[in-house]
Amino acid sequence: MRARIEEIVFDCAEPLPLARFWSALLGGEAVERSADWAYVDPPEFVRVAFQRVPEGKAAKNRLHLDLAAGDVDAAAAEAARYGATLVGGVVMDDYGRFQVVRDPEGNEFCFVGD
């Protein structure tokens, strides 16, 4: 049996505000399905959902998203205006440039250069 990714779900404290943050980054509309569940269906990405959980984030993500950005610095600056936190500076390695970022609830993701 082969499966496909239907959506990526983040545990969080406040689903709708987090969906709005990700909507600003990825496009699409933030939708509140219930008080405990919200999502965004970006036009060029799998659905990203946010589920309320009682416990807070206690450790580094075991999974993170890499988002392609033509201009890593500009993408990171825009995310910061929406409430993200930059983690360190832009890194340059053998594979290109990337910037680690945390969304408003501390979930890490990266902007990677095209």
Side-chain angles (χ1 to χ4, degrees), residues 57-70:
K57 184 176 182 328
K60 185 178 180 333
N61 298 27
R62 300 283 307 243
L63 171 81
H64 71 266
L65 303 179
D66 284 350
L67 305 178

Side-chain angles (χ1 to χ4, degrees), residues 90-112:
V90 173
V91 175
M92 181 68 153
D93 65 12
D94 292 339
Y95 301 102
R97 292 171 46 102
F98 68 93
Q99 171 71 58
V100 179
V101 183
R102 288 191 185 108
D103 73 15
E105 289 210 15
N107 299 301
E108 292 179 354
F109 62 100
C110 293
F111 286 114
V112 296

